[in-house]
């Protein structure tokens, strides 16, 4: 064994050739461009015809600049496979790892990951292999390609069985049985499950499962798989104390197995056979079988269980034949093989425990991060809630303010309405007596302060009762509204006009002396005379009698002023109505008496009359 590492790789490579074969089945599904078709064609023959595979790859490489991004990644993946096949596993792993960091599509990356697991298994780098396997198993649910999914489960079963983690190997084998998409996968799954179950002591060599699996594999031409299953069964018979059954099974299968040329299983067969022969006291056959096992194993495999068994048989053989020197050599080899075997088992166990520890640590880290995330999320929610609360508060405040504004507006409208009701006379829409009185007081007060004259004109519709009685109250109301309207038109902007009685009106004229007030009253009187009453539905004459007083003669007291104006108006009534009388003066005026419906209206000085 000049280069044990290389030997080891070669042997394990053969073992994992099964995986490679299957990896080749799960070609990446991508849009089929011309190059993509060529890449797929190469992919399909990569394990069955490695030479043509390399030729095809070289052809595609000549057009590497014309390849799309994904085609380039596909080519890289196949190049990795090519390198692994040629034994440069480190270079292959490097390519696969680069692919994992690239923009290759998810399935291509997944395939690269499975291949890495495979390569690490060949290198017996269990620790890294377990890391990538763990990663691939977590990712597999997101992979839509069913073949790739089942492939990842299969590699898990193979990996765990190879690692000596038979319980896991069995679990994944059973999973693979359920999702197997081909007869070949079903056969593989059965082999892996039986291998694991046997190691766990969960299945007897005589179990029907063995026969079923062997039949199924043989029916599908999987001779190697059938041989491996038979090997497992034969070993089971040996441990169960039935070496004759072991011999029957192995001797029968050996010719077919030898045709496959698969050295690890051939070596295993020889070692188990040697032990069975020895137990059956067929020492010659045991010796030959043990030598064959050592030969096969020494050229192909690292120290392992099969070799340990074979050296033990040789030691026993030499010792029983008194060849102490050879017995010593055989024993030394046996001890070394056994120690190496135990070391390997220990290494595997430690690798698995380390991976588990790392996984637990990682899980703890994830749990911690999750907790931190939860805290952050809670804090964020809290902040959001606070901001929500603030926002709600602001919205509530806005609503309250809006309601207050609306309420205030409504209240203001109501106030204005009620104020108007209070300030204005509902029928004539001029100031009510109350409001007129208030405004009049203010005006007189101001005017007194400035010593400005204020005149008061009091007027009353003549014979209003008659209008009401003969034409109805509606017409009376019409008359009142029109008198008020005309009065407003005649009054100035700052005059204060009010309805102070039923059909009685009063207007205060600031900065107006009595003569000016008389003129205004005359103008108003005439406008009323001219009023077109037919609009009411009746044609009737509408006149009013006016009394005028002024602050200089009556004082700035409203009551006095109104009283005097009322007195003058009374005089106007007395003197025939439709006229203007001035308080404390003889004169009453009625312009254009001829046109008036009433009799002549001389100007009368009330105080004298
Ligand atoms: N249609 C109507 N009539 C009113 C209103 N307020 C008072 N009156 C009427 O006005 C009339 C006033 O009549 P009187 O006080 O006798 O005076 P007059 O008939 O105008 O006689 P002179 O003032 O002497 O010309 C009454 O019949 C009241 O009913 C009102 O708001 N609408």
């Amino acid at each position: 064994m000049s280069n044990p590492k290389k030997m080891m790789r070669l042997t394990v490579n053969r073992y994992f050739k099964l995986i490679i074969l299957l990896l080749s089945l799960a070609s990446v599904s991508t849009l089929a461009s011309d190059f993509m078709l060529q890449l797929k064609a190469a992919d399909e023959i990569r394990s069955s015809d490695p030479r043509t595979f390399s030729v095809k790859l070289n052809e595609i490489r000549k057009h590497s600049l014309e390849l799309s991004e994904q085609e380039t990644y596909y080519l890289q993946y196949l190049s990795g496979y090519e390198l692994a096949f040629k034994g440069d596993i480190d270079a292959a792993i490097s390519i696969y790892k680069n692919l994992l960091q690239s923009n290759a599509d998810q399935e291509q990356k997944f395939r690269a990951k499975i291949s890495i697991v495979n390569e690490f298994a060949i290198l017996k780098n269990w620790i890294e292999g377990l890391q990538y396997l763990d990663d691939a198993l977590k990712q597999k649910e997101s992979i839509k390609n069913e073949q790739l999914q089942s492939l990842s489960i299969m590699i898990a079963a193979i990996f765990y069985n190879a690692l000596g983690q038979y319980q896991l190997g069995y679990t994944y084998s059973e999973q693979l049985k359920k999702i197997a998409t081909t007869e070949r996968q079903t056969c593989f799954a059965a082999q892996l499950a039986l291998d694991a179950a046997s190691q766990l002591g969960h299945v007897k060599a005589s179990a029907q499962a063995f026969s079923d699996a062997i039949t199924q594999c043989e029916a599908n031409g999987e001779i190697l798989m059938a041989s491996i299953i038979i090997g497992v069964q034969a070993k089971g018979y040996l441990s169960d104390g039935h070496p004759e059954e072991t011999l029957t099974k192995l001797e029968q299968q050996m010719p077919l197995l030898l045709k496959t040329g698969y050295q690890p299983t051939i070596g295993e067969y020889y070692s188990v056979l040697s032990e069975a022969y020895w137990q059956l006291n067929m020492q010659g056959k045991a010796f030959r079988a043990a030598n064959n096992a050592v030969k096969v194993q020494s050229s192909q495999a690292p120290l392992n269980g099969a070799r340990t068994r074979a050296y033990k048989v040789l030691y026993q053989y030499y010792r029983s034949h008194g060849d102490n020197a050879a017995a010593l050599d055989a024993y030394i080899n046996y001890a070394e093989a056994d120690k190496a075997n135990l070391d390997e088992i220990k290494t595997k166990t430690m690798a698995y425990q380390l991976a588990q520890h790392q996984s637990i640590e990682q899980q703890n880290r994830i749990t911690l991060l999750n907790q931190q995330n939860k805290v952050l999320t809670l804090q964020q929610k809290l902040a959001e809630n606070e901001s929500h609360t603030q926002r709600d508060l602001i919205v509530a405040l806005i609503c309250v303010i809006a309601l207050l504004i609306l309420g205030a507006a409504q209240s203001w409208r109501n106030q204005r309405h009620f104020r108007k009701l209070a300030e204005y006379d509902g029928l004539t829409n001029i100031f009510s007596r109350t409001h007129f009185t208030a405004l009049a007081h203010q005006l007189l007060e101001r005017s007194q302060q400035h010593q400005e004259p204020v005149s008061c004109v009091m007027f009353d519709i003549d014979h209003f009762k008659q209008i009401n009685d003969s034409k109805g109250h509606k017409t009376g109301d019409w008359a009142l509204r029109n008198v008020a309207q005309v009065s407003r038109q005649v009054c100035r902007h700052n005059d204060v006009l009010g309805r102070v009685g039923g059909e009685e009106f009063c207007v205060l004229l600031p900065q107006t002396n009595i003569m000016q007030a008389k003129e205004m009253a005359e103008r108003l009187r005439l406008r009323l005379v001219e009023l077109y009453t037919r609009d009411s539905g009746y044609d009737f004459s509408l006149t009013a009698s006016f009394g005028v007083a002024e602050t200089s003669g009556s004082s700035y007291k409203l009551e006095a002023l109104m009283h005097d104006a009322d007195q003058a108006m009374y005089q106007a009534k007395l003197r025939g109505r439709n006229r203007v009388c001035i308080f404390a003066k003889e004169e009453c005026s009625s312009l254009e008496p001829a046109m008036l419906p009433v009799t002549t209206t001389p100007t009368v000085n009330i105080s004298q009359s």
Side-chain angles (χ1 to χ4, degrees):
M1 192 169 62
S2 57
N3 189 344
K5 194 179 172 190
K6 196 176 175 190
M7 296 287 184
M8 174 193 83
R9 284 184 184 179
L10 279 169
T11 307
V12 184
N13 201 354
R14 277 177 177 252
Y15 184 76
F16 282 93
K17 194 177 169 190
L18 297 171
I19 303 165
I20 293 163
L21 275 164
L22 283 155
L23 278 168
S24 69
L25 292 173
S27 55
V28 172
S29 58
T30 324
L31 279 176
S33 74
D34 189 35
F35 288 120
M36 188 56 82
L37 288 173
Q38 288 184 44
L39 285 160
K40 281 187 172 184
D43 197 356
E44 277 164 21
I45 57 154
R46 64 184 191 169
S47 58
S48 59
D49 188 355
R51 274 173 59 89
T52 316
F53 168 68
S54 287
V55 171
K56 279 181 179 289
L57 279 198
N58 284 332
E59 273 304 310
I60 298 168
R61 282 189 189 108
K62 286 177 190 164
H63 303 278
S64 56
L65 292 175
E66 298 161 49
L67 300 181
S68 71
E69 194 183 22
Q70 291 306 322
E71 286 165 351
T72 305
Y73 293 135
Y74 197 1
L75 176 63
Q76 283 173 11
Y77 173 76
L78 293 177
S79 300
Y81 174 85
E82 190 183 30
L83 284 167
F85 193 82
K86 287 176 181 169
D88 196 348
I89 295 174
D90 292 331
I93 289 175
S94 172
I95 285 180
Y96 295 145
K97 282 185 174 177
N98 283 340
L99 274 172
L100 294 183
Q101 303 300 320
S102 73
N103 287 328
D105 64 46
Q106 199 195 19
E107 286 187 4
Q108 186 67 77
K109 283 184 176 179
F110 188 70
R111 209 175 170 209
K113 202 172 283 176
I114 296 175
S115 297
I116 290 175
V117 177
N118 188 49
E119 305 310 337
F120 278 134
I122 291 168
L123 293 176
K124 296 206 172 189
N125 184 342
W126 305 111
I127 294 173
E128 280 201 71
L130 275 169
Q131 285 169 358
Y132 281 90
L133 177 60
D134 190 43
D135 206 20
L137 290 174
K138 279 178 191 158
Q139 196 190 344
K140 80 172 177 357
E141 299 306 329
S142 63
I143 300 296
K144 289 191 181 119
N145 186 323
E146 286 178 1
Q147 270 193 329
L148 276 177
Q149 265 205 13
S150 55
L151 198 60
S152 65
I153 291 170
M154 188 163 78
I155 201 167
I158 293 171
F159 194 97
Y160 283 125
N161 274 2
L163 189 62
Q165 295 299 321
Y166 297 108
Q167 189 56 59
L168 281 168
Y170 182 75
T171 305
Y172 282 105
S173 306
E174 287 298 309
Q175 272 190 35
L176 183 63
K177 273 187 192 172
K178 286 176 194 154
I179 61 160
T181 50
T182 60
E183 294 290 335
R184 191 176 209 200
Q185 274 188 353
T186 308
C187 164
F188 273 45
Q191 181 269 312
L192 290 163
L194 286 169
D195 189 11
S198 295
Q199 295 286 352
L200 292 166
H202 291 169
V203 65
K204 282 201 167 290
S206 56
Q208 183 64 35
F210 278 104
S211 311
D212 292 346
I214 292 162
T215 310
Q216 198 269 336
C217 288
E218 283 176 345
N220 288 285
E222 299 292 343
I223 302 303
L224 178 58
M225 281 293 116
S227 301
I228 292 173
I229 296 167
I230 290 166
V232 171
Q233 188 184 28
K235 247 169 44 173
Y237 278 127
L238 195 64
S239 353
D240 291 347
H242 302 295
E244 62 288 346
E245 293 287 346
T246 305
L247 290 185
T248 311
K249 290 281 173 189
L250 294 184
E251 283 177 346
Q252 193 183 334
Q253 189 63 19
M254 185 61 98
L256 286 170
L257 174 65
L258 288 172
K259 278 188 187 167
T260 68
Y262 192 60
Q263 299 299 311
T265 307
I266 294 169
E268 182 77 8
Y269 263 48
Y270 279 133
S271 77
V272 177
L273 270 174
S274 70
E275 205 171 329
Y277 286 135
W278 186 258
Q279 284 186 21
L280 292 168
N281 208 21
M282 299 160 80
Q283 294 192 0
K285 283 192 172 184
F287 180 72
R288 281 192 294 280
N291 269 318
N292 280 337
V294 170
K295 232 190 301 176
V296 171
Q297 297 292 308
S298 65
S299 64
Q300 295 289 336
L303 305 169
N304 59 20
R307 221 175 146 208
T308 310
R309 263 195 309 272
Y311 279 126
K312 191 178 175 188
V313 169
L314 287 176
Y315 158 69
Q316 288 168 330
Y317 178 84
Y318 288 124
R319 200 183 59 170
S320 67
H321 285 81
D323 190 343
N324 290 333
L328 184 63
D329 278 350
Y331 188 82
I332 291 168
N333 284 332
Y334 159 71
E336 277 181 2
D338 196 38
K339 185 180 177 300
N341 196 34
L342 289 172
D343 282 350
E344 195 181 333
I345 291 168
K346 210 163 90 182
T347 306
K348 286 176 182 176
T349 310
M350 280 175 69
Y352 179 70
Q353 284 174 350
L354 185 70
Q356 266 202 322
H357 178 70
Q358 284 173 344
S359 174
I360 290 166
E361 265 202 345
Q362 195 184 1
Q363 195 52 50
N364 285 343
R365 267 203 308 277
I366 291 167
T367 311
L368 189 71
L369 283 171
N370 282 343
Q371 296 293 348
Q372 285 174 347
N373 276 345
K374 271 185 191 167
V375 171
L376 282 172
T377 312
L378 275 173
Q379 283 176 341
Q380 207 178 339
K381 274 190 181 162
L382 212 65
E384 272 173 21
N385 279 346
E386 272 177 21
S387 76
H388 279 164
T389 311
Q390 282 179 359
R391 197 185 60 196
D392 291 348
L393 262 173
I394 291 166
V395 170
L397 271 173
I398 290 169
C399 288
V400 167
I401 290 166
L403 282 171
L404 283 173
I405 290 169
L406 282 172
Q410 186 58 42
S411 156
W412 181 72
R413 274 198 298 273
N414 288 341
Q415 278 181 26
R416 200 176 57 169
H417 177 67
F418 291 126
R419 199 170 61 232
K420 198 177 172 191
L421 280 179
E423 290 178 350
Y424 290 84
D425 172 57
L427 178 67
T428 60
N429 209 25
I430 59 173
F431 291 139
S432 64
R433 181 178 181 98
T434 313
H435 195 53
F436 167 84
T437 307
L439 292 176
H441 277 299
Q442 290 170 15
L443 173 64
L444 287 168
E445 201 179 317
R446 274 200 312 274
S447 301
Q448 187 175 23
Q449 283 170 3
H450 296 99
Q451 284 300 301
E452 290 169 350
V454 178
S455 288
C456 177
V457 176
M458 190 83 82
F459 57 101
D460 181 290
I461 299 171
D462 297 329
H463 302 302
F464 189 60
K465 190 172 181 306
Q466 275 181 25
I467 297 169
N468 265 337
D469 292 349
S470 60
K471 282 124 192 132
H473 268 75
K474 251 179 118 179
T475 310
D477 286 349
W478 180 93
L480 287 167
R481 278 197 303 273
N482 280 273
V483 168
Q485 191 180 349
V486 170
S487 304
R488 262 205 312 265
Q489 288 166 0
V490 173
C491 284
R492 295 168 306 182
H493 169 67
N494 53 352
D495 293 342
V496 182
L497 169 69
R499 183 183 175 196
V500 292
E503 80 289 17
E504 201 174 46
F505 300 85
C506 184
V507 57
L508 276 190
L509 308 166
Q511 299 172 322
T512 308
N513 62 33
I514 194 132
M515 294 314 293
Q516 291 167 323
K518 189 195 115 187
E519 281 173 27
M520 178 266 172
E522 272 297 335
R523 277 201 307 280
L524 179 54
R525 185 183 70 80
L526 288 174
R527 285 286 303 274
L528 292 178
V529 169
E530 289 162 2
L531 195 68
Y532 189 68
T533 55
R534 278 189 187 168
D535 284 349
S536 70
Y538 293 95
D539 186 10
F540 62 96
S541 65
L542 183 64
T543 63
S545 299
F546 294 79
V548 183
E550 199 234 282
T551 48
S552 58
S554 308
S555 89
Y556 283 95
K557 286 200 180 337
L558 179 65
E559 293 75 21
L561 192 61
M562 283 180 72
H563 172 265
D564 292 350
D566 189 61
Q567 287 296 308
M569 185 184 76
Y570 181 66
Q571 285 302 315
K573 291 275 184 189
L574 279 180
R575 294 192 181 219
R577 298 184 173 82
N578 189 25
R579 67 196 61 217
V580 177
C581 289
I582 299 171
F583 176 71
K585 289 200 174 155
E586 275 295 325
E587 62 185 270
C588 292
S589 69
S590 60
L591 297 174
E592 300 173 305
M595 294 179 67
L596 296 174
V598 289
T599 51
T600 48
T601 52
T603 301
V604 179
N605 189 315
I606 296 166
S607 58
Q608 286 173 356
S609 64

